[in-house]
């Protein structure tokens, strides 16, 4: 939290009791005047002139309070220059709306609890990256494909694309999506054609990028829509689980090295969630987590941790942070009451394939999405996103080795 916002909150909580007293107390007494000056409910005044003077002072104080509080809020600055987002449907906020693919969420009931409704977010409300933006006091990063011909925003952009992954072929069965390499290519285009015009020197641009936060979630679809789809792809016949995970890690490492060369220094990468516990699989296995799938994913996550540590040690001035989403997701599902969930098995919206895929358009979802962990067959509700973002911002054991709060300080 920046200094202006801190001052604003101190000002708010220091004077709020006085304001409440002045506005709402039924009897207001001033020792300099002696007796009760007026009784609020009767509107009776013991001395009209003195009462008028007190009311004038009260009004002036109230307007001073309001002015200073909002002045400090208006002039508060974001905690970092920008937030850049990469990934899949967990972070996609509308890029796929403009691509020839059936992997879209630009229809109700998606966005039911979001201020702009169905924007393309694959949940009922805000994504995890939306919550991170709020913590950083930044606007939600705009989707890149929606603003190509508009003036660039310096607060960040979102390049995430649903159904895609690390490998170029992942998600191709649904149409066109932006794999991670293409997303980073678009970020490079953003730098070369848009950002350079806003900075007086390359050093100034480099400093802006170095202080910005980059967040990514990618790899889930390389399993769900590739490796675990033997009728569509031959990767499971070509690679065993260890070799395939290493293939993904090697490719991801190269992508992150490219991002580093473009100027990124503070990068957060989410683990793959416990895929065997999402409705896409549990509803095929009598409601139970498919542990074989979870074990396959855990191989990738183990290698991911080691790879991020290696990048941090070899790329000067960088910090690659791991967000431990897998264990948190498993805890959500196995200990729902701990987080206030009533249902961690069934999707809130009525979904295709007996609840195993995406929401059926326009059908009314469950009445209390905040009680459900899952929104559709793949994605969780915004409630889980809020918890994860809060942990990543504040807890270095969750986002390791540094929380976002700590990451901002280096």
């Amino acid at each position: 939290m920046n200094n202006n916002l801190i001052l604003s909150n101190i000002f708010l909580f220091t004077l709020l009791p006085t304001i409440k007293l002045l506005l709402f107390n039924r009897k207001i007494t001033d020792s300099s005047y002696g007796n009760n000056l007026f009784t609020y409910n009767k509107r009776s005044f013991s001395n009209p002139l003195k009462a008028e003077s007190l009311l004038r002072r009260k009004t002036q104080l109230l307007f001073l309070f309001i002015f200073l509080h909002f002045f400090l809020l208006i002039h508060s600055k974001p905690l970092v220059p920008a937030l850049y987002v990469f990934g899949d449907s967990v972070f996609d906020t509308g890029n796929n709306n403009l691509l020839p693919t059936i992997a879209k969420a630009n229809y109700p009931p998606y966005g039911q609890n979001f201020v702009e409704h169905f924007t393309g977010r694959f949940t009922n409300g805000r994504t995890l990256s939306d919550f991170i933006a709020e913590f950083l006091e930044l606007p939600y990063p705009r989707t890149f494909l929606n603003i190509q011909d508009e003036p660039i925003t310096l607060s960040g952009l979102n390049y995430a694309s649903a159904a895609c992954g690390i490998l170029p072929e992942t998600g191709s069965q649904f149409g066109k999506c932006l794999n991670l390499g293409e997303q980073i290519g678009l970020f490079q285009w953003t730098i070369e054609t848009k950002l350079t015009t806003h900075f007086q020197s390359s050093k100034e641009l480099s400093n802006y990028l170095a202080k910005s936060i980059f967040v990514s979630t990618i790899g889930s679809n390389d399993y769900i829509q590739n490796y675990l789809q033997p009728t569509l792809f031959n990767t499971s016949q070509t690679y065993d689980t260890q070799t395939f995970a290493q293939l993904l890690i090697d490719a991801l490492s190269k992508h992150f090295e490219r991002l580093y060369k473009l100027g990124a220094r503070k990068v957060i990468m989410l683990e793959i969630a416990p895929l065997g516990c999402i409705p896409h699989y549990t509803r095929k296995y009598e409601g139970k987590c498919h542990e074989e799938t979870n074990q396959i994913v855990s191989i990738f996550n183990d290698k991911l941790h080691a790879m991020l540590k290696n990048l941090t040690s070899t790329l000067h001035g960088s910090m690659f942070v791991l967000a431990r989403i897998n264990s948190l997701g498993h805890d959500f599902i196995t200990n729902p009451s701990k987080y206030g969930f009533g249902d961690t098995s069934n999707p809130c919206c009525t979904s295709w394939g007996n609840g195993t895929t995406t929401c059926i358009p326009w059908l009314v979802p469950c009445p209390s999405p905040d009680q459900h962990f899952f929104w559709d067959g793949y994605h969780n509700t915004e409630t889980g996103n809020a918890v994860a973002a809060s942990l990543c911002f504040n807890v270095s054991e969750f986002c390791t080795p540094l929380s976002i709060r700590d990451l901002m300080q280096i």
Side-chain angles (χ1 to χ4, degrees):
M1 186 176 291
N2 61 41
N3 291 335
N4 282 338
L5 197 58
I6 292 172
L7 288 172
S8 173
N9 287 332
I10 291 174
F11 187 77
L12 170 65
F13 289 107
T14 301
L15 288 186
L16 191 56
T18 304
I19 299 300
K20 285 183 176 178
L21 180 66
L22 288 171
L23 288 178
F24 304 116
N25 222 27
R26 299 178 74 85
K27 288 188 176 182
I28 298 180
T29 303
D30 190 315
S31 58
S32 63
Y33 293 78
N35 299 323
N36 292 336
L37 293 179
F38 65 93
T39 303
Y40 182 81
N41 60 339
K42 295 181 180 178
R43 295 292 195 275
S44 60
F45 297 87
S46 60
N47 187 324
L49 292 177
K50 291 180 179 179
E52 182 181 353
S53 176
L54 178 63
L55 286 171
R56 188 182 303 112
R57 286 163 53 197
K58 176 182 73 171
T59 304
Q60 290 170 345
L61 177 61
L62 176 59
F63 277 102
L64 178 63
F65 162 77
I66 294 172
F67 171 77
L68 287 177
H69 182 59
F70 282 99
F71 176 83
L72 290 170
L73 285 178
I74 290 170
H75 286 78
S76 65
K77 295 180 180 179
L79 303 182
V80 297
L83 175 65
Y84 286 97
V85 180
F86 303 85
D88 50 33
S89 56
V90 174
F91 283 174
D92 190 351
T93 56
N95 280 310
N96 272 30
N97 294 351
L98 300 175
L99 295 173
T101 175
I102 61 172
K104 301 177 189 285
N106 58 344
Y107 58 86
Y110 287 108
Q112 172 182 276
N113 305 109
F114 189 67
V115 62
E116 298 175 25
H117 301 298
F118 44 97
T119 59
R121 288 166 169 80
F122 284 77
T123 183
N124 64 307
R126 290 161 287 183
T127 66
L128 197 156
S129 58
D130 287 334
F131 281 108
I132 290 177
E134 289 183 3
F135 279 115
L136 294 172
E137 299 173 29
L138 288 166
Y140 301 142
R142 297 187 64 186
T143 52
F144 172 80
L145 293 183
N146 279 327
I147 64 163
Q148 291 182 83
D149 300 324
E150 298 179 19
I152 194 69
T153 172
L154 293 179
S155 59
L157 288 170
N158 186 322
Y159 300 87
S161 178
C164 255
I166 300 168
L167 301 180
E169 65 270 22
T170 295
S172 58
Q173 64 269 41
F174 301 110
K176 173 61 183 173
C177 60
L178 304 173
N179 62 61
L180 184 58
E182 291 174 318
Q183 293 176 36
I184 296 175
L186 293 174
F187 174 62
Q188 181 175 351
W189 181 88
T190 302
I191 294 174
E192 295 173 350
T193 64
K194 298 286 188 177
L195 289 179
T196 51
T197 62
H198 289 270
F199 297 92
Q200 296 181 351
S201 66
S202 58
K203 183 178 180 180
E204 191 176 297
L205 173 59
S206 296
N207 186 54
Y208 158 83
L209 293 172
K211 291 182 177 180
S212 297
I213 300 290
F214 295 75
V215 61
S216 174
T217 178
I218 202 79
S220 295
N221 289 318
D222 292 296
Y223 285 97
I224 301 174
Q225 310 297 354
N226 189 328
Y227 193 75
L228 300 176
Q229 295 278 2
T231 59
L232 298 175
F233 297 93
N234 65 355
T235 44
S236 60
Q237 285 84 44
T238 306
Y239 307 100
D240 61 29
T241 54
Q242 288 281 348
T243 308
F244 183 71
Q246 193 60 52
L247 175 72
L248 296 179
I249 290 296
D250 290 343
L252 182 61
S253 180
K254 291 179 180 177
H255 288 314
F256 281 159
E257 288 176 22
R258 182 184 177 193
L259 201 59
Y260 173 85
K261 291 177 181 177
L262 291 171
R265 293 295 180 270
K266 301 176 181 181
V267 181
I268 302 167
M269 173 66 186
L270 277 61
E271 289 179 326
I272 295 179
L275 299 182
C277 295
I278 66 176
H280 181 72
Y281 290 108
T282 59
R283 294 176 78 85
K284 300 174 185 177
Y285 295 97
E286 300 178 346
K288 299 177 181 179
C289 292
H290 190 234
E291 293 304 331
E292 182 181 347
T293 298
N294 286 340
Q295 286 297 320
I296 292 173
V297 168
S298 69
I299 299 171
F300 173 90
N301 286 335
D302 290 341
K303 293 178 180 293
L304 174 65
H305 192 189
M307 183 266 282
L308 295 178
K309 289 177 67 176
N310 180 63
L311 288 178
T312 300
S313 64
T314 57
L315 299 178
H316 177 71
S318 71
M319 178 55 68
F320 287 83
V321 173
L322 175 74
R324 296 185 179 277
I325 288 292
N326 188 279
S327 57
L328 177 64
H330 198 271
D331 200 36
F332 277 145
I333 294 163
T334 56
N335 299 293
S337 59
K338 179 178 175 182
Y339 301 95
F341 291 118
D343 188 329
T344 58
S345 301
N346 303 298
C348 177
C349 76
T350 304
S351 307
W352 299 104
N354 189 33
T356 61
T357 61
T358 53
C359 301
I360 299 175
W362 297 99
L363 294 188
V364 178
C366 68
S368 302
D370 59 322
Q371 294 293 309
H372 278 249
F373 178 60
F374 290 107
W375 176 247
D376 62 16
Y378 300 111
H379 310 95
N380 53 272
T381 58
E382 75 165 4
T383 308
N385 291 333
V387 174
S390 179
L391 287 172
C392 193
F393 192 83
N394 295 293
V395 181
S396 59
E397 289 79 16
F398 179 73
C399 273
T400 182
L402 296 177
S403 67
I404 297 177
R405 186 185 296 278
D406 296 329
L407 189 63
M408 294 186 304
Q409 306 305 319
I410 64 172

